C-alpha cells in the first residue's frame, strides 16, 4: 500500500479561495468542491502547512527580507508578509486561517471523505515571539554573554543570550529560539505539545526530526554548555512517539529527515521518513546511481519512505526538469512504494518558488501539458493496483536507466509500473519467474507517450522509449 500526501500552503490556498469567492474564506468556509477534487485525484492525506500562530517579531524579520529582496520577485504589499510558519509563537490556530473549532471541523470533513489531515510539529525550536525563554530559560540553549547566533533577552534571574535554532550546516534561523534537548524538562513539555498538536489532526509532519537525535544535538550545541538542573541524554522521539500513540493510537508520524538517519528514525517509531536521496538523484540526472540506491534499500524501508520531486523547501519541479523528464520523474515518485508527496502548484506546473513567509505566490498560468499529465496519471492510478497492492522492485540485468515496480493485486492480477528515466531508448528483459504463469499479452493501463510509441513486447523483452512511463497489467493463468 502507498498513499498520496498533498501539501497545501494554508495561507496561500485560503487567500486564493477568498479571491475567487469575493469574501474571506477560513477553514470553516472551505467549499466542498475543494475536498471533492482531492478525492477525485486519489489523494489520501492532506498536509495543511502553516496553521499555527506566528508573532510580530517573526513577521518583522520576514518584512526585512521582503523589503530588500522578495518584493522584487513578486508584486506584493507589506500585509502579504506574515512570517515563517515554522517560527511558531504557540501551538494555537492562527486567526488568519481559522480557530481551533474550524480546524477540528475541517479534520472531520476530510475524514468523512476518506482523507487524513496532517499538521506540522516543529520540535527543534520555537518562534522568537515565544515568551517561554523569558519564563523558563533553562529549557533553551543560551549563554550568559553575547555569542554569534544569539539574541539578548531579559529572563528570570537576569539577562540571557538565547541561541537561534539552526541546522549545523547552515546559518541560524533568526526568527527562532533553540530548545535544549539536554534538559529533561524540555522533553516533558515538548512531548505534551506533540500530544496536543496531534489532537487537531490525524498525524504530524515533524520538522527536521534528526536534529533531536542525541548524537546530533550534542555535537551541534557542544559550545553551549547545558544550563538545566536535570540533564538527560535520552532519545526524545522514543518516548514522545509512544506518548502520542497512547493518546492517538492511529496517528501517523512523518519525519523530515536527512543525513542517512532515516532508518534510525523509522526504528524509533516514525511511520514515514523523507527519502530525499531519490529527489537529489533525479534532479542531478544520476539515474543509474538512483537505481543502485533503490536496489540497496529494504522493502520495509521503501514502504515507510516519503518520495517527492518538490515541497515548500525545494525548487519547483517544472523549473528543474524539462517536460518529458518531469513526467518520467513524477511517474517514478507515484509508482514507488511508500508515501508520494505532491506539492500545491506542482500539478499546474508552477515554476516560481513560493516564499512560505507570505500568503501570496507569483501569478502563473497553469501549464496545460503538465496539468493534463498529472490529471491523467492520478486518475488512471485509481484503476490499477499501483499504490494499492503489494509492491516489490523488479531487478533488471545490465546497465540500465529503467526502474520497475511490481504491484500485486487480488484475483492473480499484477501491474508492472515501469519508467525509463534516460534520454535513450532502453531494452530490458523481464525476469523469467515474473512471466512463468501469466496468460496472454499485457494490457497497457497507462502510457506517457502517444499511442504509436507504446512499449513493444517481444518474448520477455520490453522496448522503452526515452523518458517514458507505463503501467502494464498481467493476469496469472495458473488457476
Amino acid at each position: 500500500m502507498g498513499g498520496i500526501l498533498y501539501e497545501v500552503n494554508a495561507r496561500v490556498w485560503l487567500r486564493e479561495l477568498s479571491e475567487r469567492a469575493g469574501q474571506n474564506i477560513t477553514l470553516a468556509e472551505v467549499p466542498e468542491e475543494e475536498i471533492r477534487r482531492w478525492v477525485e485525484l486519489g489523494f489520501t492525506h492532506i498536509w495543511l502547512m502553516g496553521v499555527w500562530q506566528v508573532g510580530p517579531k517573526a513577521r518583522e524579520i520576514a518584512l526585512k527580507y521582503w523589503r530588500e529582496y522578495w518584493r522584487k520577485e513578486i508584486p506584493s504589499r507589506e500585509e502579504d508578509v506574515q512570517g515563517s510558519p515554522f517560527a511558531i509563537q504557540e501551538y494555537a490556530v492562527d486567526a488568519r486561517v481559522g480557530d481551533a473549532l474550524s480546524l477540528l471541523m475541517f479534520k472531520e470533513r476530510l475524514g468523512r471523505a476518506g482523507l487524513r489531515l496532517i499538521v506540522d510539529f516543529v520540535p527543534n525550536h520555537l518562534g522568537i515571539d515565544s515568551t517561554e525563554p523569558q519564563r523558563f530559560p533553562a529549557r533553551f540553549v543560551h549563554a550568559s554573554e553575547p555569542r554569534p547566533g544569539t539574541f539578548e533577552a531579559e529572563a528570570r534571574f537576569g539577562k540571557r543570550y538565547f541561541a537561534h535554532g539552526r541546522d549545523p550546516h547552515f546559518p541560524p534561523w533568526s526568527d527562532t529560539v533553540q530548545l535544549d534537548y539536554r534538559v529533561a524538562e524540555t522533553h516533558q513539555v515538548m512531548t505534551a505539545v506533540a500530544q496536543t498538536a496531534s489532537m487537531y489532526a490525524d498525524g504530524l509532519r515533524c520538522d527536521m526530526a534528526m536534529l533531536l537525535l542525541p548524537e546530533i544535538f550534542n555535537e551541534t550545541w557542544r559550545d553551549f554548555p547545558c544550563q538545566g538542573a536535570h540533564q538527560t541524554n535520552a532519545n526524545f522521539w522514543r518516548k514522545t512517539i509512544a506518548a502520542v500513540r497512547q493518546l492517538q493510537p492511529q496517528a501517523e508520524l512523518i519525519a523530515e529527515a536527512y543525513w542517512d538517519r532515516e532508518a534510525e528514525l523509522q526504528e524509533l517509531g516514525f511511520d514515514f521518513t523523507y527519502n530525499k536521496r531519490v529527489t537529489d538523484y533525479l534532479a542531478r540526472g544520476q539515474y543509474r546511481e538512483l537505481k543502485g540506491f533503490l536496489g540497496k534499500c529494504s522493502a520495509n524501508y521503501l514502504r515507510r519512505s516519503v518520495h517527492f520531486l518538490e515541497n515548500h523547501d525545494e525548487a519547483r519541479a517544472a523549473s528543474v526538469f524539462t517536460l518529458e523528464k518531469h513526467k518520467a520523474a513524477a511517474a517514478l515518485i507515484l509508482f514507488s512504494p511508500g508515501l508520494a508527496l505532491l506539492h500545491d502548484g506542482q500539478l499546474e506546473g508552477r515554476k516560481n518558488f513560493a516564499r512560505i513567509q507570505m500568503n501570496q505566490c507569483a501569478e502563473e498560468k497553469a501549464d496545460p501539458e503538465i496539468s493534463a499529465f498529472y490529471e491523467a496519471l492520478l486518475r488512471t492510478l485509481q484503476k490499477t493496483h499501483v499504490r494499492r497492492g503489494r509492491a516489490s522492485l523488479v531487478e533488471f540485468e545490465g546497465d540500465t536507466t529503467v526502474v520497475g515496480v511490481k504491484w500485486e493485486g487480488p484475483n492473480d492480477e499484477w501491474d508492472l509500473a515501469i519508467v525509463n528515466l534516460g534520454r535513450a531508448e532502453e531494452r530490458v528483459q523481464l525476469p523469467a519467474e515474473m512471466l512463468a504463469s501469466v496468460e496472454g499479452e499485457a494490457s497497457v493501463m497507462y502510457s506517457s507517450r502517444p499511442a504509436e510509441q507504446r512499449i513493444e513486447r517481444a518474448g520477455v523483452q520490453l522496448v522503452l522509449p526515452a523518458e517514458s512511463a507505463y503501467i502494464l497489467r498481467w493476469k496469472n493463468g495458473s488457476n
Side-chain angles (χ1 to χ4, degrees), residues 265-286:
L265 289 163
Q266 290 183 8
E267 177 65 26
L268 287 167
F270 277 99
D271 296 284
F272 301 99
T273 60
Y274 277 30
N275 194 354
K276 190 171 181 291
R277 280 206 180 195
V278 172
T279 313
D280 292 339
Y281 282 131
L282 288 170
R284 293 194 291 257
Q286 296 175 315

Side-chain angles (χ1 to χ4, degrees), residues 219-261:
E219 178 62 23
T220 301
W221 298 106
R222 62 183 179 182
D223 295 332
F224 284 78
C226 179
Q227 305 293 324
H230 302 286
Q231 299 183 21
T232 181
N233 198 43
N235 192 308
F236 170 76
W237 289 120
R238 192 176 299 280
K239 288 187 176 180
T240 297
I241 290 172
V244 169
R245 292 247 165 78
Q246 186 176 22
L247 194 66
Q248 293 272 75
Q250 304 305 316
E252 292 184 273
L253 300 175
I254 302 169
E256 179 191 17
Y258 312 106
W259 312 340
D260 296 328
R261 296 292 183 149

Side-chain angles (χ1 to χ4, degrees), residues 436-454:
S437 60
V438 300
E439 60 179 20
E441 294 289 315
S443 56
V444 179
M445 304 291 290
Y446 173 79
S447 167
S448 69
R449 290 290 195 180
E452 64 269 21
Q453 296 187 57
R454 283 185 182 176

Side-chain angles (χ1 to χ4, degrees), residues 165-190:
R166 70 183 175 99
D167 170 335
H169 299 293
F170 295 95
W173 299 301
S174 60
D175 52 2
T176 69
V177 57
Q178 176 67 51
L179 286 152
D180 196 337
Y181 281 89
R182 299 167 297 187
V183 178
E185 185 181 350
T186 304
H187 286 227
Q188 296 165 4
V189 170
M190 293 308 292

Side-chain angles (χ1 to χ4, degrees), residues 30-248:
V30 171
E32 194 63 33
E33 52 263 31
E34 288 291 305
I35 298 174
R36 189 180 307 118
R37 170 73 174 163
W38 294 337
V39 172
E40 289 172 353
L41 291 176
F43 301 155
T44 57
H45 300 68
I46 303 300
W47 167 16
L48 204 57
M49 189 270 288
V51 300
W52 305 122
Q53 183 173 312
V54 176
K57 292 179 184 177
R59 179 176 181 268
E60 188 56 43
I61 290 169
L63 277 169
K64 291 178 183 178
Y65 287 95
W66 177 81
R67 293 181 184 116
E68 189 167 356
Y69 305 109
W70 301 340
R71 65 178 177 179
K72 300 172 187 176
E73 300 174 358
I74 173 175
S76 50
R77 300 171 296 176
E78 284 197 6
E79 51 263 41
D80 300 328
V81 182
Q82 298 186 350
S84 170
F86 297 98
I88 297 170
Q89 181 179 19
E90 61 177 305
Y91 283 82
V93 179
D94 192 310
R96 289 166 292 199
V97 303
D99 56 23
L101 180 59
S102 63
L103 180 56
L104 287 169
M105 291 176 63
F106 186 67
K107 171 191 173 184
E108 183 182 355
R109 290 177 65 194
L110 291 180
R112 289 200 303 266
L115 298 167
R116 295 177 64 81
L117 177 64
I118 306 296
V119 297
D120 282 299
F121 174 50
V122 186
N124 183 65
H125 51 262
L126 294 177
I128 199 169
D129 291 276
S130 172
T131 61
E132 296 214 358
Q134 289 75 32
R135 295 185 293 138
F136 308 104
R139 297 177 188 171
F140 297 84
V141 175
H142 66 274
S144 57
E145 56 187 34
R147 301 278 295 277
T150 66
F151 65 97
E152 180 183 323
E154 197 67 37
R156 292 172 63 192
F157 315 119
K159 186 182 297 182
R160 296 288 186 273
Y161 296 88
F162 291 97
H164 293 298
R166 70 183 175 99
D167 170 335
H169 299 293
F170 295 95
W173 299 301
S174 60
D175 52 2
T176 69
V177 57
Q178 176 67 51
L179 286 152
D180 196 337
Y181 281 89
R182 299 167 297 187
V183 178
E185 185 181 350
T186 304
H187 286 227
Q188 296 165 4
V189 170
M190 293 308 292
T191 295
V193 170
Q195 288 179 306
T196 301
S198 74
M199 296 296 290
Y200 287 94
D202 300 295
L204 301 175
R205 180 264 187 191
C206 300
D207 189 70
M208 299 294 281
M210 75 288 177
L211 291 181
L212 276 60
L213 295 172
E215 178 187 346
I216 292 175
F217 193 92
N218 293 337
E219 178 62 23
T220 301
W221 298 106
R222 62 183 179 182
D223 295 332
F224 284 78
C226 179
Q227 305 293 324
H230 302 286
Q231 299 183 21
T232 181
N233 198 43
N235 192 308
F236 170 76
W237 289 120
R238 192 176 299 280
K239 288 187 176 180
T240 297
I241 290 172
V244 169
R245 292 247 165 78
Q246 186 176 22
L247 194 66
Q248 293 272 75

